[in-house]
Amino acid sequence: MTVATDLDTALKIERKGVDTRLRSLMRETRGVPTRLHRAMSHSLFGGGKRLRPVLLLWTYDALRTRQAIPREAVLDVACSLEMIHTYSLIHDDLPAMDDDVLRRGHPTCHVAFDEATAILAGDGLLTLAFSVLARTPRHGATVMGIIADAAGPSGMVGGQQEDLDAEGTKPSPALVRRIHRNKTASLIAAPMRAAAVVAGAHMSRIEEVTKAGLQLGLAFQASDDLLDVIGDEQTLGKSVGKDADAGKATWVGLEGFDKARERTRRYGRTGERLLTSALQPGRAASRLLELSRRLWDRDR
Ligand code: GRG
């Protein structure tokens, strides 16, 4: 039996707020064909942990200055991150990529609908995210740039390409790190960087938080690979044991489970140290630091 902590309770409340706003944003869309709307909603409301939106909101809370934009506007930036993340999962699950049937405990989008609809649902979520981001007061262009760079060809999309290219090869440690940074860590660091910007933080603080986010993102991906070996399919809500079969570029594959676990901790602790030094002590900082630990010290 797992015991709920204060962090779990706070996460549950925050996730609920994110979900409510995501539902409104989806309801507000106009002229979307019913099947496409249903496919987008199927994946968006399929039970994700909402880590990226919460990370963004709590980083904003911890860094908030008098120049900060209102939290309601930050919630929309957080929702757009979840839309982009969900698009990436839909496309990652497609037969041409990871060919997965289970995601967030439900049939993947192409299984529940069809392949063409799943591609369009991903495209729809990605573009809707930027329409939402364009409405961000004062920092719209900056925030769109940060998130586009992280999600685009020099970030997540490029990381996915190199990940596919590396399948079945013996990649160098430098390549594994680059794939993990681009495919996953960029979309963990981006919400933290965007949060620091909309919080009105000083440039040096924005850079510190981004560096912390990259280390935490590397730890998050490394822990994802550990969970692919020791995780439980029901708890995770997705298939496990696929990385080794597909010859994926993972630390477990490259250096074995124990060393990969050590590496995960190393990345995680470096991220925690960098984040600690970027924050003023206080409740918001403690809560964010607890969440940053949960990114890599986790069972789902
Ligand atoms: C298709 C352009 C494109 C990119 C795909 C996200 C991604 C890149 C691949 C997903 C495969 C994967 C296992 C990535 C590792 C880390 C990761 C992104 C895990 C899923 O994120 P969670 O754990 O998922 O936050 P939930 O469902 O909780 O939102």
Side-chain angles (χ1 to χ4, degrees), residues 48-49 52 85 87-88 91-92 104 160 184 220-221 224:
K49 295 184 289 297
R52 292 152 194 82
H85 168 59
Y87 124 75
S88 79
H91 282 195
D92 186 66
R104 295 174 161 174
Q160 181 77 350
T184 308
F220 178 71
Q221 177 60 62
D224 211 71

Side-chain angles (χ1 to χ4, degrees), residues 1 33 77 128-129 141 157 167 180 189 193 198 247 269:
M1 193 184 79
V77 179
L128 178 60
V157 172
E167 272 182 23
H180 290 190
R193 186 175 181 85
V198 295
R269 290 189 179 132

Side-chain angles (χ1 to χ4, degrees), residues 51-247:
L51 284 176
R52 292 152 194 82
V54 179
L55 199 54
L56 191 145
L57 287 162
W58 289 5
T59 304
Y60 164 86
D61 290 339
L63 294 176
R64 193 173 187 164
T65 69
R66 286 219 298 261
Q67 281 77 47
I69 67 168
R71 203 175 194 272
E72 304 89 77
V74 184
L75 180 58
D76 281 7
V77 179
C79 287
S80 74
L81 246 306
E82 188 62 25
M83 289 176 189
I84 294 171
H85 168 59
T86 305
Y87 124 75
S88 79
L89 298 179
I90 295 174
H91 282 195
D92 186 66
D93 290 334
L94 287 168
M97 296 219 189
D98 267 7
D99 195 8
D100 250 308
V101 294
L102 187 69
R103 174 66 71 180
R104 295 174 161 174
H106 299 283
T108 47
C109 196
H110 65 276
V111 170
F113 293 84
D114 58 76
E115 215 173 312
T117 304
I119 293 171
L120 294 171
D123 294 340
L125 286 168
L126 174 62
T127 40
L128 178 60
F130 281 94
S131 162
V132 173
L133 281 174
R135 302 198 293 256
T136 311
R138 298 217 304 275
H139 301 287
T142 308
V143 164
M144 282 171 77
I146 291 169
I147 294 173
D149 286 347
S154 312
M156 183 178 69
V157 172
Q160 181 77 350
Q161 178 69 55
E162 287 202 296
D163 195 35
L164 293 172
D165 294 345
E167 272 182 23
T169 69
K170 192 170 185 321
S172 67
L175 179 58
V176 174
R177 192 181 184 283
R178 188 169 75 231
I179 290 172
H180 290 190
R181 186 194 63 207
N182 292 340
K183 174 177 95 159
T184 308
S186 63
L187 222 62
I188 298 287
M192 296 177 72
R193 186 175 181 85
V197 169
V198 295
H202 192 271
M203 198 59 212
S204 58
R205 184 114 339 151
I206 296 173
E207 294 302 338
E208 283 174 346
V209 163
T210 309
K211 276 198 194 128
L214 280 173
Q215 292 295 315
L216 292 168
L218 289 172
F220 178 71
Q221 177 60 62
S223 70
D224 211 71
D225 298 344
L226 297 176
L227 287 172
D228 190 66
V229 180
I230 54 160
D232 170 62
E233 188 159 304
Q234 204 159 5
T235 313
L236 289 166
K238 64 178 181 180
S239 320
V240 292
K242 291 198 69 187
D243 290 347
D245 293 349

